[in-house]
Amino acid sequence: MGIDVGGTNTKCVAIDNNTHEIIGKSSVFTTHDDQAGVATGVVECFQRCMQNNNISPEEVVFVAHSTTQATNALLEGDVANVGILGTAKGWLSSILTKSQLHLDDIDLGTGRQIHIVDEFINSKNLTTETIKKALSDMGAKGVQVVVASAAFGVDGGDAEGQIVGIADKEGYPSTAASEITKMYGLARRTRTAAINASILPKMLDTAEKTESSVRATGVNVPLMIMRGDGGVMDFEEMKKRPVLTMLSGPAASVMGALMYLRASNGMYFEVGGTTTNIGVIKNGRPAIDYSVVGGHETFVSSLDVRVLAVAGGSMVRVNKSGVVDVGPRSAHIAGLDYAVFTDPDEIVNPQIELCQPKEGDPSDYVKIRLDSGKYITITNSCAANVLGYVKEGDYSFGSPEAARKAMEPVAQYCGLSVEDLAEQILAKSYEKIKICIETLAEKYKLPHEQISLVGCGGGAASLLRYTAKEMDVKYMIPENAEVISSIGVALAMIRDVVERVVPTPTADDIRSIREEATAQAISSGAAPETIDVHIDINTQESKLTAIATGSTAVQSQDLLAAASDDELKQIAADDMRIDASEVTLETGTDFIKVFTAQKNGDTSVRIVDKKGFIKVQRDSAKIETTTIAKYKDSVQQLYDDLAVYMSDAVLRPYFYVCLGGKVMDFDGSSMDYEQLLVLMDVEFGDSDPEQKIIIVAAKSVI
């Protein structure tokens, strides 16, 4: 069961674990103002879904939910006062550390702040008595939660643990900075920990109420919660690091989109009533970046999401010349119904009025007065229904007749036909969307022909088809798009990330960080046999990263039937936008096939698994089939052959290695040759030296 807590609605889906069939849905309004907060809506939605679909507590094997709680707490300033208790060894280190830990109050960018109080104890004086004294002094200044931060705390030592242990006994919820991140950068690490600590009381309260309420239903499986980077973790881990749940709403929709995206590269396009979230999926993984809170960089990894204030319910601004703008005000916030969802018989003698929906808004938003005295408005959904972009069966399908009748007086006011007005509305929205998509494509080096849009959210059809047509890109709107976030929560994997500053990582460094990431994933609830670890070496930032993903002990069956080679070739051809006769099956294994085609003098490659999912989409590529024992010769040749020489740098190729059914990727441009070989050696582990592998190398995109 997956529960997504949105700004307006909390939605739950029940999914059969053996077939992945959706067997139940439920939706309630999100209970922001309830005494127990959003937890009430989570439980109400959960219970209703069980009751309406005759699901017994014993049948539930997995429960997870996303939450807006952390994000909303920061936006609304519903945060605790934070005390930072720092420590360091030696007089010079103490001077430098003390200055770095003297943080200003953290501006949340909304006029609200996290109030910071700091104290410092030299490690030679760090005792139970001095810690209690510092806590007492900070408590007198209004401190409610504590951060323990030691210079070089990520390198070990028990100073932070000592402070946290005593703070907990003294009744202060606490955070050790090194538990939040293992990255160097004392001030930034401490600031991240302070943000985490500031929402601890709120999140702990919600977590305990949610957990106890779910337990009261008789469901006793671990309760999981969505992270902002697209994974889930259990409640015990969330209670330590609630800051990781920031942006878990968009993350849920992305993980839902990944269930349907058959390509390794693409974009998710989630359209709600007020906002549209757009982000990139590259090499089968969502694009991740560090979060920024109130302009402050943190060490919290979350989805790199662009949030646009234009969506299915965005209202329209006009003057005598036509459409001035669309959004950011939405019909829902303005308290107006969409024309397209109004009974056509209600729309009698419609009259245009220009208004200011909320104080501070422009005064040229459109609303329509009906003969009954009721007011409605026109939106992107209305325009898309009129022009036929929304089809019967789409969640946002309404009455094109009603939309047309309501838009008629607006069209007359602007000197346009209804169709021209609808076109202008969608074109204004598209201007904003196009810039966003192009910016993300450039940032993540996503070629235009590989942009495939996956529409999520109830309003997807209102904007997606028009955008796809104008940009000439592929798109899909999966079944159950309106609850895609809840599906994403229900089917999400455990995910844990470990980062280290390691200038020149050795094989031992890589093995160590792999083991640590694996241990954290197990701690978060993953079954050990399901865990996969991706290692990334970034020489520019001297950063070593391990991303561990895995499933809970409950295993889902393999549902999709294997496709024939001809069917896989057609999938590759469709993705390349060429005829299947131009595609060659180059090589493969029992689990994957590698297809090539010549395009514009370059070799395009598609690696497709037996289920028809495209694992790799690359141009300017070469393929080598070899064995583990001989792989270094092939890598050396490809490393040189596909290098891109620039005036001030040499860009090395990106490598993909197919080993059995696994496709591993290595960014050759971010590490030197020796590091690349070390990483590959670790990935191959104890595999048979004579085992066949397929190496695909592609030029780095400039």
Side-chain angles (χ1 to χ4, degrees):
M1 299 186 72
I3 309 156
D4 177 56
V5 184
T8 304
N9 295 104
T10 296
K11 297 178 180 179
C12 179
V13 297
I15 298 177
D16 187 290
N17 193 57
N18 293 326
T19 66
H20 280 193
E21 176 189 3
I22 294 177
I23 56 175
K25 304 177 188 177
S26 177
S27 179
V28 302
F29 285 114
T30 300
T31 54
H32 294 293
D33 299 325
D34 190 271
Q35 186 175 359
V38 299
T40 297
V42 169
V43 174
E44 181 184 348
C45 191
F46 173 70
Q47 291 176 326
R48 185 180 296 182
C49 191
M50 289 178 62
Q51 292 165 0
N52 292 349
N53 298 285
N54 298 315
I55 299 169
S56 67
E58 297 76 21
E59 292 178 284
V60 179
V61 296
F62 180 86
V63 182
H65 77 85
S66 70
T67 177
T68 58
Q69 194 81 350
T71 304
N72 288 345
L74 293 169
L75 287 173
E76 297 164 10
D78 190 6
V79 292
N81 295 334
V82 178
I84 297 171
L85 184 47
T87 185
K89 294 179 180 179
W91 69 271
L92 180 58
S93 179
S94 293
I95 293 172
L96 295 174
T97 299
K98 194 172 183 179
S99 64
Q100 288 191 61
L101 295 184
H102 185 62
L103 301 182
D104 294 331
D105 289 351
I106 300 173
D107 185 355
L108 296 173
T110 58
R112 311 291 178 89
Q113 294 181 325
I114 300 173
H115 181 56
I116 304 289
V117 173
D118 64 275
E119 291 281 343
F120 182 85
I121 305 172
N122 188 290
S123 62
K124 69 179 182 181
N125 300 321
L126 196 66
T127 64
T128 299
E129 290 70 27
T130 58
I131 293 172
K132 285 185 176 180
K133 173 67 165 56
L135 292 173
S136 176
D137 291 345
M138 290 193 295
K141 297 176 183 177
V143 162
Q144 300 161 292
V145 294
V146 170
V147 169
S149 187
F152 303 103
V154 297
D155 294 332
D158 59 359
E160 290 184 355
Q162 183 182 0
I163 294 170
V164 165
I166 295 171
D168 288 343
K169 290 179 181 177
E170 294 296 306
Y172 292 97
S174 57
T175 295
S178 62
E179 285 189 355
I180 303 299
T181 176
K182 301 297 184 182
M183 293 295 290
Y184 289 124
L186 182 60
R188 184 172 170 185
R189 183 169 72 246
T190 306
R191 185 184 300 112
T192 304
I195 293 170
N196 182 78
S198 75
I199 58 176
L200 271 173
K202 183 78 173 180
M203 295 297 288
L204 287 172
D205 180 62
T206 300
E208 287 163 2
K209 288 174 179 173
T210 303
E211 194 168 25
S212 62
S213 297
V214 168
R215 294 285 173 261
T217 67
V219 173
N220 291 311
V221 296
L223 185 58
M224 313 299 287
I225 193 162
M226 198 84 188
R227 294 163 51 123
D229 60 9
V232 291
M233 58 184 176
D234 69 15
F235 256 45
E236 292 307 311
E237 283 298 307
M238 188 279 287
K239 290 172 184 176
K240 300 175 188 174
R241 300 180 288 170
V243 72
L244 298 184
T245 67
M246 285 195 307
L247 293 177
S248 67
S253 67
V254 178
M255 302 322 290
L258 279 172
M259 307 297 167
Y260 296 93
L261 181 68
R262 298 188 79 92
S264 61
N265 298 330
M267 290 191 180
Y268 56 91
F269 191 100
E270 184 189 20
V271 185
T274 304
T275 60
T276 293
N277 299 324
I278 301 177
V280 168
I281 296 167
K282 186 74 179 285
N283 294 326
R285 292 186 290 271
I288 303 289
D289 208 344
Y290 288 131
S291 296
V292 176
V293 176
H296 302 286
E297 291 185 340
T298 73
F299 280 127
V300 178
S301 293
S302 63
L303 268 71
D304 189 2
V305 179
R306 300 292 190 274
V307 181
L308 301 180
V310 58
S314 296
M315 293 175 65
V316 179
R317 296 171 54 201
V318 301
N319 60 24
K320 288 287 188 179
S321 300
V323 176
V324 174
D325 200 1
V326 179
R329 182 61 61 216
S330 68
H332 171 71
I333 300 299
L336 297 168
D337 291 337
Y338 300 20
V340 73
F341 300 136
T342 303
D343 187 331
D345 293 338
E346 279 192 70
I347 304 179
V348 178
N349 191 29
Q351 300 293 319
I352 179 176
E353 292 186 14
L354 300 183
C355 69
Q356 182 184 42
K358 295 287 183 180
E359 186 178 350
D361 286 348
S363 57
D364 54 359
Y365 279 102
V366 169
K367 65 179 181 178
I368 305 296
R369 187 181 188 280
L370 307 182
D371 215 34
S372 62
K374 178 182 177 180
Y375 284 95
I376 58 176
T377 192
I378 59 174
T379 65
N380 277 315
S381 293
C382 301
N385 271 266
V386 164
L387 294 178
Y389 289 107
V390 185
K391 313 294 184 183
E392 191 167 356
D394 289 331
Y395 190 77
S396 52
F397 183 76
S399 168
E401 178 193 354
R404 181 178 293 275
K405 288 173 71 174
M407 290 170 67
E408 184 65 43
V410 184
Q412 291 177 1
Y413 176 83
C414 298
L416 301 167
S417 68
V418 170
E419 287 76 15
D420 286 343
L421 173 64
E423 178 70 28
Q424 284 195 13
I425 291 170
L426 295 183
K428 279 291 182 185
S429 299
Y430 168 68
E431 287 176 9
K432 304 172 186 179
I433 293 168
K434 178 175 183 285
I435 292 171
C436 177
I437 289 176
E438 290 179 342
T439 299
L440 283 169
E442 181 178 359
K443 177 177 179 179
Y444 291 101
K445 310 299 182 187
L446 197 64
H448 183 270
E449 63 270 16
Q450 292 183 20
I451 297 176
S452 179
L453 302 177
V454 181
C456 311
S462 300
L463 292 173
L464 183 66
R465 292 192 179 102
Y466 184 89
T467 297
K469 176 180 73 72
E470 292 297 310
M471 296 196 75
D472 188 27
V473 297
K474 295 170 289 185
Y475 77 91
M476 69 172 297
I477 301 175
E479 187 180 1
N480 298 303
E482 75 281 4
V483 289
I484 200 84
S485 293
S486 299
I487 295 171
V489 174
L491 301 179
M493 305 277 278
I494 304 291
R495 190 177 194 277
D496 257 294
V497 180
V498 177
E499 295 177 311
R500 287 274 190 277
V501 175
V502 186
T504 308
T506 64
D508 286 342
D509 292 326
I510 294 170
R511 292 189 188 96
S512 175
I513 198 170
R514 173 194 285 277
E515 290 172 3
E516 186 173 351
T518 299
Q520 285 195 187
I522 293 171
S523 176
S524 293
E529 66 275 11
T530 70
I531 295 172
D532 181 60
V533 183
H534 173 76
I535 305 290
D536 180 66
I537 299 173
N538 189 320
T539 54
Q540 290 185 332
E541 299 179 14
S542 297
K543 186 168 73 171
L544 181 62
T545 305
I547 303 171
T549 55
S551 304
T552 59
V554 179
Q555 296 302 299
S556 298
Q557 294 182 5
D558 197 1
L559 303 177
L560 295 175
S564 68
D565 286 357
D566 286 342
E567 290 171 328
L568 298 179
K569 178 188 281 192
Q570 187 63 57
I571 289 170
D574 290 344
D575 189 67
M576 295 184 195
R577 298 190 175 190
I578 57 177
D579 190 85
S581 62
E582 301 176 64
V583 177
T584 300
L585 172 54
E586 200 71 35
T587 184
T589 69
D590 292 340
F591 305 97
I592 61 99
K593 303 296 177 184
V594 182
F595 296 93
T596 63
Q598 298 303 311
K599 296 178 65 179
N600 302 319
D602 266 335
T603 300
S604 290
V605 173
R606 300 294 185 268
I607 300 178
V608 189
D609 73 11
K610 63 181 181 179
K611 304 297 184 182
F613 283 85
I614 302 173
K615 310 298 287 185
V616 173
Q617 301 162 281
R618 292 305 295 254
D619 299 323
S620 302
K622 287 188 176 183
I623 303 165
E624 291 281 346
T625 300
T626 183
T627 63
I628 290 176
K630 299 177 181 178
Y631 87 90
K632 292 180 182 178
D633 293 337
S634 296
V635 170
Q636 175 70 75
Q637 189 67 45
L638 294 168
Y639 191 79
D640 293 332
D641 288 352
L642 293 175
V644 178
Y645 292 90
M646 305 173 68
S647 60
D648 58 347
V650 179
L651 294 180
R652 297 297 179 176
Y654 207 106
F655 287 86
Y656 304 88
V657 179
C658 306
L659 175 61
K662 186 176 181 181
V663 180
M664 299 170 281
D665 58 288
F666 308 90
D667 186 357
S669 66
S670 70
M671 64 188 89
D672 63 34
Y673 179 67
E674 293 302 323
Q675 289 175 332
L676 179 64
L677 294 184
V678 168
L679 187 52
M680 287 184 174
D681 278 340
V682 173
E683 289 290 355
F684 294 148
D686 298 326
S687 299
D688 181 358
E690 298 307 312
Q691 185 166 353
K692 171 186 172 181
I693 60 172
I694 301 166
I695 301 174
V696 175
K699 287 183 179 179
S700 293
V701 180
I702 301 174

